[in-house]
Amino acid sequence: MLSIIITLLVNLLIKASESFIVMVPADPVEAHVGSSVILSCWISPPENAEALEIRWYRHDFNNPVLLYNHGKIQDTQEESYRNRSALKPWSDQSGGLKDGDVSLRLEKLRVQDEGPFHCYVSGDTVYDSREIALKITDSSDSSDPSGPWKALFFSVLICALLGLVGLILYRYRHKLTGQKPAKESCEEETMEKLAKEELERSGSPVEEHLQSAMNHLTIVGEDADIEELRKYADQKFGIDRQHAYPNLTISQDSKSMRDHPGYNHTGEAFPYKLCAFGAQKYSSGRHYWEVMLVQKNAPPKNYWLIGVMKDENVAVKKKLALTPSNGYWFLCLEGQNGIYSNTDPQVKLSLTPRPEQLGVLLDYDDGQLSFYNVTERKHLLTISSRFSGSVVPLFNPGVGDPSPLKILDCPKAVKSAAKSSQPFLSPDSTPAKSSTSNTSKANRNSNTVSSTV
């Protein structure tokens, strides 16, 4: 009798250990024709999936997009996905099959790839599957009748911007020498007047044209020197627990935050109320911090807001629009609306994959707030403004994401005495001190958004 009981208990333990569920992101995944994409899928609780059957299929279970079984990829496969599909971890943080990550990578995407994909995982006694939607966009769609006019419009803006950059460089040359002859000063005023008149002929004010051109030309910047940035990290950086929004859950070390499990967010707009503020106040100098946007075995966050705001706004009771004119400067991820700045007009960043670790540099004296993709070591965007009074770091973890928003402890470093008004670049991408250095600096300014307050 005792042996029968032991046998039943062992069988129950084996079945319990084999129990799992398949999980995928709730929102559709978007990608462009010709690009690559990873369809995230993982099993929970995490366990080694190397001995399981992993089947990705679309409409026909027996004609899979990819089939993994007996420890290897099988030759049974839908012909259109041959040499275009593979099992690939959804991020560098994932341990792949050993951690239960069974994500699918598709390459050379086609319009025909749009639609549902099924992720099916099976063991000896248990199986589960989930469906994930893939949306394909064709960036070269020629059906838009306004396409040629848009191209012409952007060409005019680019030409106007290049002309203004040339004018700025011309004026900067005089600042280097500290002299400005009366004749050249007159010529400079004439050039500036002609440039303004040329822009005004296109039908909009000069400032609006310049702002619009700079925003539309904002792209992912050059390589960033992360070690140099970390020299400005505040080792005591943390969250102000006293003034944090009540429906936030903040860790004991004041480094991590997420929405409270009982918080019921109503409406489809971004949950701007869920804000927390840095415990530090800054009114001069450079200050740097890094924020982790994912955690192991969880998908990247769909919602976050990171930046700075005027310290005086912490005590304001009335509702303010979160704009630079009211003392807010930030970068925001809002689900399918993507990543954008709160400048006017907004600047949207098409980033694939989305940043997993974000670096922020506040240069108070030079009036710059810069953002960096730490994992990719890239400069993303710089917002230029004129700060007044004290400012504090601003955070918002969004609602419903399994990953919290976590402030990281940067490695200690000795501060450098060098000071530059431009976002930090890696040593390999820093231009040499020659006659072309001003041109390189002007090109990097295309990643800068002006925000005058």
Side-chain angles (χ1 to χ4, degrees):
M1 176 65 71
L2 180 61
S3 62
I4 294 175
I5 294 174
I6 293 175
T7 302
L8 290 174
L9 289 174
V10 169
N11 288 335
L12 286 173
L13 289 173
I14 293 175
K15 289 182 179 180
S17 65
E18 292 180 347
S19 177
F20 61 80
I21 61 172
V22 172
M23 301 184 69
V24 298
D27 297 326
V29 177
E30 293 188 8
H32 297 298
V33 170
S35 67
S36 301
V37 70
I38 292 182
L39 303 181
S40 301
C41 181
W42 64 98
I43 59 177
S44 181
E47 66 175 77
N48 194 326
E50 292 178 322
L52 302 178
E53 176 186 329
I54 302 165
R55 182 187 297 263
W56 280 90
Y57 67 95
R58 301 204 62 190
H59 310 293
D60 186 353
F61 183 87
N62 295 317
N63 190 22
V65 172
L66 181 143
L67 175 61
Y68 173 92
N69 204 357
H70 305 299
K72 64 179 181 179
I73 304 293
Q74 303 296 318
D75 192 52
T76 304
Q77 188 176 32
E78 187 175 333
E79 190 62 32
S80 63
Y81 290 100
R82 195 172 296 278
N83 300 323
R84 292 203 300 129
S85 59
L87 293 178
K88 183 75 173 179
W90 60 266
S91 82
D92 295 337
Q93 305 289 328
S94 170
L97 291 177
K98 292 183 179 180
D99 286 343
D101 185 349
V102 296
S103 302
L104 175 71
R105 177 183 175 89
L106 295 176
E107 299 180 346
K108 301 176 182 178
L109 292 177
R110 309 167 182 172
V111 176
Q112 294 82 354
D113 293 330
E114 180 167 291
F117 283 76
H118 299 268
C119 177
Y120 170 90
V121 182
S122 174
D124 292 335
T125 60
V126 64
Y127 69 89
D128 194 16
S129 67
R130 288 291 186 276
E131 178 182 297
I132 182 172
L134 175 61
K135 184 177 180 181
I136 303 296
T137 58
D138 187 356
S139 58
S140 61
D141 186 5
S142 59
S143 61
D144 183 2
S146 63
W149 291 105
K150 290 180 180 179
L152 178 60
F153 175 72
F154 285 119
S155 298
V156 172
L157 288 180
I158 291 173
C159 291
L161 179 60
L162 290 176
L164 288 177
V165 168
L167 178 59
I168 292 171
L169 293 177
Y170 178 81
R171 300 182 67 177
Y172 184 68
R173 177 171 61 89
H174 293 306
K175 290 183 179 180
L176 287 176
T177 61
Q179 298 178 353
K180 186 181 294 185
K183 180 179 179 181
E184 293 192 12
S185 177
C186 180
E187 291 175 352
E188 178 183 308
E189 293 175 0
T190 303
M191 289 179 63
E192 185 176 4
K193 181 179 179 181
L194 291 174
K196 289 183 178 180
E197 290 176 353
E198 181 65 25
L199 283 174
E200 289 172 347
R201 289 193 192 101
S202 60
S204 298
V206 176
E207 291 78 7
E208 180 180 337
H209 255 290
L210 179 57
Q211 180 71 55
S212 178
M214 293 174 74
N215 288 342
H216 283 291
L217 290 175
T218 300
I219 57 174
V220 174
E222 299 182 37
D223 294 341
D225 189 344
I226 300 300
E227 285 69 29
E228 182 69 20
L229 289 166
R230 285 173 174 167
K231 293 180 180 180
Y232 297 90
D234 188 342
Q235 301 301 325
K236 298 181 180 180
F237 195 92
I239 301 170
D240 180 1
R241 304 175 67 91
Q242 179 180 356
H243 296 100
Y245 190 72
N247 282 315
L248 282 176
T249 299
I250 301 176
S251 62
Q252 291 185 350
D253 62 358
S254 299
K255 296 283 188 179
S256 180
M257 74 197 83
R258 64 162 301 155
D259 57 310
H260 192 279
Y263 177 61
N264 182 24
H265 174 59
T266 58
E268 298 179 358
F270 188 92
Y272 291 106
K273 287 185 177 180
L274 288 179
C275 283
F277 319 109
Q280 292 70 27
K281 302 177 183 179
Y282 302 121
S283 57
S284 65
R286 283 177 173 163
H287 308 277
Y288 177 76
W289 57 94
E290 292 182 4
V291 184
M292 179 62 73
L293 305 175
V294 298
Q295 67 178 3
K296 191 174 182 180
N297 298 324
K301 292 180 65 60
N302 286 312
Y303 301 92
W304 50 258
L305 183 155
I306 298 173
V308 299
M309 63 175 247
K310 285 186 175 182
D311 175 47
E312 63 190 44
N313 288 344
V314 174
V316 174
K317 302 300 182 181
K318 64 179 181 180
K319 184 176 180 181
L320 296 176
L322 304 188
T323 62
S325 60
N326 284 332
Y328 296 87
W329 303 266
F330 58 78
L331 203 59
C332 176
L333 168 60
E334 185 181 355
Q336 295 303 311
N337 292 329
I339 299 176
Y340 58 86
S341 69
N342 73 320
T343 51
D344 185 18
Q346 291 179 350
V347 177
K348 295 198 67 173
L349 299 180
S350 299
L351 303 179
T352 304
R354 290 174 176 173
E356 298 178 0
Q357 190 170 332
L358 193 72
V360 184
L361 175 69
L362 169 66
D363 191 334
Y364 188 101
D365 298 332
D366 286 341
Q368 291 186 339
L369 181 68
S370 301
F371 299 91
Y372 302 86
N373 185 330
V374 177
T375 307
E376 300 292 332
R377 308 181 78 82
K378 293 288 186 182
H379 165 230
L380 299 179
L381 178 73
T382 292
I383 299 175
S384 293
S385 186
R386 289 195 295 270
F387 302 118
S388 61
S390 299
V391 298
V392 295
L394 176 65
F395 306 95
N396 188 316
V399 173
D401 286 339
S403 294
L405 192 150
K406 183 177 182 180
I407 301 170
L408 299 178
D409 292 324
C410 294
K412 292 183 179 180
V414 179
K415 287 190 177 183
S416 171
K419 182 177 175 68
S420 168
S421 62
Q422 295 299 326
F424 289 92
L425 305 176
S426 67
D428 295 338
S429 64
T430 303
K433 292 183 178 180
S434 67
S435 59
T436 60
S437 61
N438 285 343
T439 304
S440 299
K441 184 180 293 185
N443 289 338
R444 291 200 298 275
N445 282 339
S446 64
N447 299 335
T448 305
V449 182
S450 295
S451 174
T452 304
V453 179

